[in-house]
């Protein structure tokens, strides 16, 4: 898998945000981030530290993102290598800093995956119950913590060993652990809920109906 496609996988699973520590929990027992209404979108900034075996320092990228349940997710990397990843009901598209589009995934399978991502960021844990064992805990700082562990026999076990998410009003930190021993640490900040329409620069990137 190329570095760009590894990043896409991390972005996608970063939105899958969850997994646990104190035994398995039902989705309706787990604290939720602020609900994103159908006429709202969530915007914020991110920093991703990719820790790779054999490297002393992580590879760090940062940028901003917008999530609209009605439109999709835009994950825009600003540094060190600008580029944008779009996840909508058509699939997953990568746009480089020259504006060239690369359609990474299309079809019903990926449409369902994008819907799953949106459901998680919107605080709807139910879609994860069939794929993950979900557990919850509380950090020393009083934030909620959710941990997703792939169920035995799940094909996702080849890609992910555990995802840990913490937050308060919103998901704020995500740690994505991989069977290889590599892991990604993602920090989400400056998050807020806004009413539609989307900002023009993000609306132009999404192909869903309406703004």
């Amino acid at each position: 898998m190329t570095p760009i496609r590894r990043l896409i996988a991390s972005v996608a699973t970063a939105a899958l945000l969850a997994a646990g520590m104190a035994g398995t929990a039902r989705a309706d027992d787990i604290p939720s981030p602020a609900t994103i209404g159908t006429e709202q979108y969530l915007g914020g900034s991110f920093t991703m530290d990719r820790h790779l075996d054999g490297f002393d320092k992580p590879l760090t990228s940062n940028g901003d993102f917008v999530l609209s349940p009605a439109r999709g997710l835009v994950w825009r990397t600003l540094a060190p290598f600008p580029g944008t990843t779009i996840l909508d009901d058509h699939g997953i598209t990568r746009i480089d800093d020259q504006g060239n589009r690369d359609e990474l995934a299309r079809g019903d399978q990926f449409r369902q995956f994008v819907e799953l991502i949106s459901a998680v960021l919107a605080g709807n844990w139910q879609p994860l119950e069939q794929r993950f064992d979900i557990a919850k805990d509380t950090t020393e700082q009083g934030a909620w913590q959710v941990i997703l562990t792939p169920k035995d026999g799940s094909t996702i076990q080849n890609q992910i060993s555990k995802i840990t998410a913490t937050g308060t009003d919103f998901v704020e930190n995500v740690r994505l652990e991989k069977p290889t021993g590599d892991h990604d640490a993602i920090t989400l900040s400056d998050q807020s809920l806004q009413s539609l329409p989307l900002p023009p620069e993000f609306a132009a990137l999404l192909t869903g109906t309406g703004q």
Side-chain angles (χ1 to χ4, degrees):
M1 185 180 292
T2 66
I4 285 295
R5 291 180 187 272
R6 289 194 190 99
L7 175 61
I8 302 309
S10 293
V11 169
T13 49
L16 288 180
L17 315 169
M21 270 173 124
T24 301
R26 290 185 55 80
D28 53 8
D29 294 330
I30 298 171
S32 299
T35 300
I36 308 173
T38 57
E39 297 301 317
Q40 293 180 309
Y41 68 90
L42 175 67
S45 302
F46 73 86
T47 297
M48 177 185 293
D49 291 326
R50 167 151 293 163
H51 298 262
L52 300 175
D53 187 34
F55 289 81
D56 293 332
K57 295 181 179 181
L59 305 176
T60 300
S61 60
N62 58 69
D64 52 17
F65 71 93
V66 160
L67 170 69
S68 164
R71 300 293 302 277
L73 172 67
V74 177
W75 188 269
R76 183 170 65 177
T77 301
L78 301 177
F81 304 110
T84 301
T85 302
I86 302 166
L87 299 93
D88 61 14
D89 61 358
H90 294 279
I92 303 173
T93 302
R94 170 75 180 175
I95 304 177
D96 66 20
D97 59 351
Q98 301 299 313
N100 300 311
R101 286 178 172 256
D102 181 10
E103 295 185 354
L104 302 179
R106 285 291 182 267
D108 290 341
Q109 178 181 357
F110 292 98
R111 186 177 300 114
Q112 293 171 10
F113 182 63
V114 172
E115 290 173 354
L116 179 63
I117 290 171
S118 297
V120 173
L121 287 179
N124 180 8
W125 305 109
Q126 276 78 7
L128 299 176
E129 288 186 313
Q130 293 183 345
R131 297 175 176 85
F132 293 89
D133 290 324
I134 305 176
K136 65 178 181 178
D137 200 356
T138 303
T139 69
E140 294 181 357
Q141 293 74 32
W144 54 260
Q145 183 177 74
V146 177
I147 303 169
L148 291 177
T149 305
K151 290 182 179 293
D152 290 341
S154 170
T155 56
I156 203 170
Q157 284 183 312
N158 298 327
Q159 307 276 335
I160 303 166
S161 57
K162 185 170 72 172
I163 307 171
T164 304
T166 60
T168 51
D169 291 338
F170 302 103
V171 174
E172 296 166 357
N173 296 282
V174 180
R175 180 184 172 96
L176 173 63
E177 300 179 29
K178 305 174 184 179
T180 59
D182 299 341
H183 73 273
D184 296 334
I186 302 167
T187 301
L188 306 175
S189 59
D190 302 321
Q191 298 180 83
S192 63
L193 289 174
Q194 304 290 337
S195 297
L196 295 175
L198 292 168
E201 67 270 26
F202 288 104
L205 296 172
L206 291 167
T207 58
T209 58
Q211 293 185 20

